[in-house]
Amino acid sequence: MKRALITGITGQDGSYLAELLLKMNYQVYGIVRRASTFNTDRIDHLYHDPHDPKARLFLHYGDLSDGTGLRRILERVHPHEIYNLAAQSHVKVSFEEPEYTADIVGTGTLRLLEALRDYQTAHGVQIRYYQAGSSEMFGAARPPQNEDTPFYPRSPYAVSKVAAHWYAVNYRESYGMFICNGILFNHESPRRGETFVTRKITRALGRIKVGLQDKVYLGNLDAKRDWGFAGDYVEAMWLMLQQERPDNYVIATGESHSVREFLEEAFGYAGLDWSDHVEIDSRYFRPADVDHLLGDPSKAMHGLRWKPKVTFEELVRMMVDYDLELAKQEKTLKDAGHVVALRGVAGN
Ligand code: NDP
Ligand code: GDR
């Protein structure tokens, strides 16, 4: 049975990837960071008590800031594949916490690669490693962007992802390690963090529709992104590690939309006019933003035989449907006298 180790398993992508690998009969090991509250909501449906013979998902406490802990986990798990998805992944937050972002996203990747290099030498094995790169690395580069487009990062997050990308390339070239860099464009889902713009919009829309709130406050509506579905994108991660040779791949839909277009699609689907409910608040603008990301996924389509299945319209509707249902549940709780927090709606 193949064993995969996932950092960032509690995040959006980690949960879809764990689901995919379990379906393919892997044993899945996830690294979870300790928090004072439970942070495993997205994977709770996959978890069985480790005493249960059905259990194939196992969790270990760990953090990308703690290299010794990462080394210990490798020795306990003996993985065949590693997916490094852990990150402080919020671009706006990276302007507020640049040192922490660099430590986890950039140096954290280096810690894991160092641990892996030593593990491979000690055990005489080769493990396949996936590095979660981002279209943010292209930043201000002219669209469409592909594997040959030079990086022009526009935030501490993006600069840190560029560092992680080049560490990964350098370890591949220096030590012959099997390391793939996925350069993934934005991908969303009903499990998307509630402070990213798509989910912030659909969460607010659900609540507006059932009368729990009236407005949502946003920043730059002109930014254009190439939005796909997270469930499709984790398949590309797996495919990269099944190839004969490690490489870099852009994963995208090849179609971009502005935040304004996302609003039109989402509110239109729910039978509302977005302009009645959206206010601009300067606190959501970034010191430097990325205007237009549009990926060219030709290499992945030919080399990996990967293509996105969910369209932009289907993605928006999937998220709106889910968040409308969630808002109805909140409404029921509120009507029964419970406090319903505005968590996520007013975030970044
Ligand atoms: P999320 O923010 O949803 O998940 C990030 C994960 O990293 C969470 O499990 C989080 O744990 C974990 N994490 C954060 N800090 C640490 C740390 N110090 N040590 C260990 N784990 C940590 O991100 P996504 O799932 O959306 O993205 C996955 C990866 O792909 C990230 O690296 C992201 O930067 C990158 N990416 C994402 C894209 C997207 O559109 N979604 C596009 C391109 C790249 P916790 O749950 O406790 O917070
Ligand atoms: P992004 O995603 O920065 O592309 O990073 P996000 O959804 O945060 O922003 C997309 C665009 O929307 C604009 N915007 C707002 N953004 C947020 N979060 N909140 C708002 O209120 C708001 N109003 C307008 C932003 O300015 C931006 O232009 C995501 C993350 O998942 C990264 O980890 C990943 O690497 C990239 O996608 C690809």
Side-chain angles (χ1 to χ4, degrees):
M1 196 179 271
K2 269 197 178 172
R3 289 182 297 278
L5 176 64
I6 305 177
T7 75
I9 194 167
T10 56
Q12 171 188 253
D13 291 8
S15 69
Y16 282 107
L17 180 63
E19 236 165 56
L20 176 74
L21 296 177
L22 287 170
K23 245 185 243 151
M24 290 192 297
N25 223 25
Y26 278 63
Q27 277 187 345
V28 176
Y29 295 80
I31 296 184
V32 177
R33 56 182 181 152
R34 195 268 160 185
S36 68
T37 52
F38 286 113
N39 55 1
T40 54
D41 291 11
R42 291 186 178 103
I43 51 169
D44 283 344
H45 64 294
L46 302 173
Y47 192 76
H48 293 278
D49 186 281
H51 303 97
D52 181 339
K54 281 204 301 275
R56 278 191 292 114
L57 169 64
F58 305 97
L59 302 176
H60 295 275
Y61 279 118
D63 199 296
L64 283 193
S65 63
D66 179 12
T68 314
L70 296 174
R71 285 165 186 272
R72 263 190 223 118
I73 292 172
L74 287 184
E75 291 296 343
R76 283 163 77 181
V77 172
H78 297 296
H80 301 97
E81 296 174 3
I82 298 179
Y83 296 86
N84 182 28
L85 310 185
Q88 188 305 91
S89 73
H90 203 286
V91 173
K92 173 81 188 310
V93 172
S94 80
F95 286 100
E96 282 143 38
E97 297 184 3
E99 291 178 28
Y100 175 73
T101 303
D103 188 43
I104 301 310
V105 175
T107 310
T109 300
L110 181 61
R111 285 187 193 102
L112 185 55
L113 290 172
E114 273 289 89
L116 179 59
R117 174 162 82 101
D118 290 349
Y119 176 89
Q120 294 196 158
T121 306
H123 293 270
V125 291
Q126 189 167 58
I127 290 162
R128 298 183 171 217
Y129 175 103
Y130 172 83
Q131 175 58 31
S134 165
S135 52
E136 280 293 298
M137 301 189 299
F138 295 126
R142 275 236 303 273
Q145 295 99 0
N146 68 19
E147 293 79 3
D148 298 323
T149 305
F151 297 141
Y152 188 157
R154 296 266 289 167
S155 64
Y157 166 80
V159 173
S160 306
K161 280 288 183 193
V162 171
H165 174 95
W166 285 112
Y167 284 137
V169 171
N170 182 248
Y171 274 54
R172 186 167 73 206
E173 292 175 354
S174 305
Y175 308 116
M177 291 166 71
F178 193 107
I179 298 175
C180 294
N181 282 302
I183 307 177
L184 273 55
F185 282 61
N186 298 53
H187 44 280
E188 320 292 312
S189 74
R191 296 185 203 164
R192 183 59 143 153
E194 295 185 21
T195 59
F196 297 97
V197 77
T198 54
R199 188 81 201 286
K200 182 172 167 182
I201 290 170
T202 59
R203 271 297 265 143
L205 171 52
R207 294 171 63 96
I208 290 166
K209 189 76 182 167
V210 301
L212 286 174
Q213 72 183 71
D214 185 44
K215 297 281 182 202
V216 56
Y217 296 88
L218 298 172
N220 178 10
L221 305 189
D222 295 322
K224 286 187 165 169
R225 292 289 183 275
D226 180 330
W227 279 299
F229 171 53
D232 289 344
Y233 284 41
V234 299
E235 287 180 14
M237 297 176 187
W238 177 78
L239 281 169
M240 283 178 217
L241 296 199
Q242 312 315 310
Q243 305 306 304
E244 217 168 285
R245 280 203 309 273
D247 208 341
N248 306 331
Y249 295 93
V250 158
I251 303 297
T253 69
E255 189 181 310
S256 71
H257 296 272
S258 64
V259 174
R260 189 176 281 99
E261 284 164 359
F262 190 99
L263 282 166
E264 271 159 18
E265 187 68 33
F267 277 74
Y269 175 56
L272 295 172
D273 183 343
W274 68 270
S275 61
D276 294 336
H277 301 281
V278 173
E279 302 276 341
I280 302 301
D281 183 336
S282 60
R283 91 170 76 172
Y284 299 115
F285 285 88
R286 296 161 185 195
D289 206 349
V290 168
D291 296 334
H292 191 184
L293 293 175
L294 171 64
D296 168 7
S298 309
K299 180 174 169 184
M301 286 173 118
H302 296 125
L304 303 177
R305 298 185 181 285
W306 174 86
K307 67 172 192 296
K309 298 183 197 105
V310 176
T311 65
F312 174 71
E313 290 76 17
E314 288 166 347
L315 174 66
V316 174
R317 286 163 192 221
M318 180 199 303
M319 293 177 71
V320 173
D321 286 339
Y322 182 88
D323 281 332
L324 193 51
E325 205 44 52
L326 203 56
K328 284 180 189 158
Q329 290 170 15
E330 284 182 316
K331 176 87 166 58
T332 307
L333 283 174
K334 185 162 186 249
D335 292 346
H338 292 274
V339 176
V340 177
L342 267 170
R343 193 166 81 117
V345 176
N348 276 289

